[in-house]
Amino acid sequence: MYLRILAATAVAAGLSATAAAAADLPKTVTITAYGTTSSGYAQSIAIGAMLKQKHDVELRVIPGKNDVSRMIPVVKKRSHLCACGIASYFNQEGAYMFGSKRWGPMAMRNLYNNAKGNHGLMAIVAGDAGIKTAADLKGKKMAFIKGAPALNVNLQALMAFGGVTLDDVTIVEFPGWKQAVDGVIAGQADAVQGSTMSPHANRLMASPRGNWWIQLPPDDKEGWARAQAVAPFWNPNRVTLGIGLENNVTGKPELDGQIYPYPIVVGLAGDISDDFSYAMTKAVMEGYEGEDGYGTMKGTAGYQLDAQNLKWVFPYAAGSIRYYKEAGAWGTEEEAHNNALLKRQDVLIGAWKTYYAANKDMEDEAFESGWAEVRKQALTAAGMDAPFS
């Protein structure tokens, strides 16, 4: 049973002059998020306080342990939205745990994201492993976490940046992320996916092994093409916030790295109306400023309009597009990109329906293996990239 927590406790003094922007929102909006100690949950709380103060709308936040548990209330129509992590992209793609009979590719729609930050989502690398660049990962020990494809795919993308394949490294599996970091500290592995802000990076830096950050220069077009073929959601980012950032090839306390939005706010196409997605997007885009805005909370600047990446990996909800057009942020390039993503979803969902109908009685493992191949064939036949295959 999910613990439901009110995101806003402030008592509304009355509708503000901007309350009309949320006229099409229900009195209570529900969103799933990471656990109560996560930044995504805290940001949802801050946005909820803004919605209550400015629009007299309650935001209820349902915490979940992982992306599967966060999507269940959305699928069962108990939650309007999910403040998800990147594994929601696997849901859209019908990949990994979302390639099981219970799931399959879904018609996800993006509303807005926290799409900006000066930290990096980077591999935490042991300083004594002789790894200076991504190419140096060849022959090293990579820490993979069981049941965590989002982490493992990110590490694979870093390897691909340097032209390193799975056959070039030793994979060491760990039951959880903390255990993987402990494994790097203990010398069982040399690199694990993480964040430049993780306190566990500080543990590695303080250990006899030390830490190292691998640069990802944005002008290395071939490296970025290889990385994004593995992880299409990667984005170049100048990292100025993190632990031991000076431990890179330049020796300066900043580096070229990568980041992608978090949280990613998505819903299902058939379950959110155009008016709802418009009103919710407008309220969040215009609710940052002021004493009753959520911008008083550190780390929320990425929700602002100028931070949004409108040509990313998810198609946008029609109502959100209406807002972005009104704001002058949506043009022909964004429209063409969005249409291509919608076509991709149609290809995946169509292939899934046909495959599921013919194979629903198959054993789970065989079903998932067969679907992975059908998925690859369907995307390839449509002239589309087929990552995660």
Side-chain angles (χ1 to χ4, degrees):
M1 178 177 178
Y2 295 94
L3 176 63
R4 296 177 179 263
I5 299 181
L6 285 177
T9 57
V11 178
L15 295 178
S16 68
T18 60
D24 292 307
L25 291 176
K27 294 298 291 182
T28 300
V29 174
T30 307
I31 189 168
T32 62
Y34 278 69
T36 56
T37 60
S38 71
S39 60
Y41 183 90
Q43 290 167 22
S44 296
I45 293 290
I47 289 173
M50 177 275 295
L51 289 172
K52 182 64 177 179
Q53 185 70 19
K54 287 179 176 288
H55 305 294
D56 196 28
V57 171
E58 299 278 2
L59 185 68
R60 295 182 184 272
V61 185
I62 305 173
K65 293 181 179 180
N66 54 50
D67 281 282
V68 170
S69 64
R70 282 186 288 277
M71 280 305 300
I72 288 173
V74 178
V75 171
K76 292 189 174 182
K77 305 182 190 304
R78 296 173 184 167
S79 179
H80 298 94
L81 301 169
C82 175
C84 279
I86 198 58
S88 56
Y89 182 56
F90 303 148
N91 194 173
Q92 173 180 265
E93 291 281 309
Y96 299 117
M97 62 281 204
F98 293 111
S100 67
K101 290 181 187 178
R102 184 181 182 184
W103 291 97
M106 293 185 177
M108 311 286 282
R109 294 292 184 270
N110 202 179
L111 277 72
Y112 53 84
N113 305 313
N114 188 341
K116 180 179 176 182
N118 53 2
H119 64 292
L121 298 171
M122 309 278 289
I124 303 171
V125 178
D128 66 352
I131 300 169
K132 300 301 180 184
T133 69
D136 295 332
L137 293 170
K138 187 173 183 178
K140 304 303 180 180
K141 296 173 288 186
M142 302 294 101
F144 273 32
I145 293 89
K146 292 180 180 179
L151 294 172
N152 301 338
V153 165
N154 273 290
L155 196 50
Q156 283 182 255
L158 176 63
M159 291 160 50
F161 191 98
V164 178
T165 71
L166 288 174
D167 292 334
D168 296 325
V169 301
T170 299
I171 301 300
V172 184
E173 285 196 326
F174 294 89
W177 185 75
K178 182 180 180 299
Q179 291 93 330
V181 177
D182 290 341
V184 174
I185 293 173
Q188 297 169 283
D190 298 313
V192 61
Q193 179 62 25
S195 163
T196 59
M197 288 297 294
S198 170
H200 293 289
N202 196 44
R203 292 177 56 224
L204 178 60
M205 185 177 69
S207 77
R209 301 200 74 184
N211 80 304
W212 187 261
W213 299 109
I214 294 175
Q215 287 260 19
L216 304 171
D219 58 357
D220 187 344
K221 304 301 183 183
E222 292 182 358
W224 272 100
R226 290 192 298 267
Q228 290 175 327
V230 175
F233 44 82
W234 265 34
N235 298 304
N237 189 52
R238 188 64 176 172
V239 179
T240 59
L241 187 63
I243 295 165
L245 291 185
E246 66 279 2
N247 296 322
N248 70 78
V249 291
T250 70
K252 299 177 181 179
E254 58 183 48
L255 67 149
D256 291 318
Q258 84 84 22
I259 198 170
Y260 48 79
Y262 167 75
I264 304 160
V265 180
V266 293
L268 294 179
D271 295 338
I272 50 174
S273 71
D274 293 355
D275 287 340
F276 172 87
S277 58
Y278 173 84
M280 191 69 182
T281 302
K282 183 179 179 68
V284 172
M285 290 298 105
E286 299 180 1
Y288 180 81
E289 302 289 349
E291 293 183 2
D292 54 357
Y294 60 86
T296 54
M297 179 181 176
K298 186 178 180 180
T300 57
Y303 288 101
Q304 293 182 93
L305 179 61
D306 63 359
Q308 300 305 302
N309 181 357
L310 300 179
K311 293 189 293 183
W312 196 41
V313 295
F314 290 95
Y316 279 84
S320 299
I321 292 173
R322 178 169 29 125
Y323 173 77
Y324 293 130
K325 285 181 177 178
E326 289 178 0
W330 190 276
T332 55
E333 290 186 4
E334 287 77 13
E335 188 74 15
H337 184 82
N338 205 69
N339 288 339
L341 293 175
L342 291 173
K343 182 179 178 181
R344 182 182 182 88
Q345 285 192 356
D346 288 343
V347 168
L348 287 167
I349 293 171
W352 172 265
K353 287 179 177 178
T354 301
Y355 178 78
Y356 183 87
N359 299 282
K360 60 184 177 181
D361 296 326
M362 188 183 292
E363 291 292 328
D364 290 350
E365 186 173 344
F367 179 94
E368 292 169 22
S369 177
W371 161 244
E373 183 59 31
V374 167
R375 175 183 173 276
K376 179 180 179 180
Q377 292 173 358
L379 289 171
T380 301
M384 299 174 180
D385 293 336
F388 323 129
S389 58

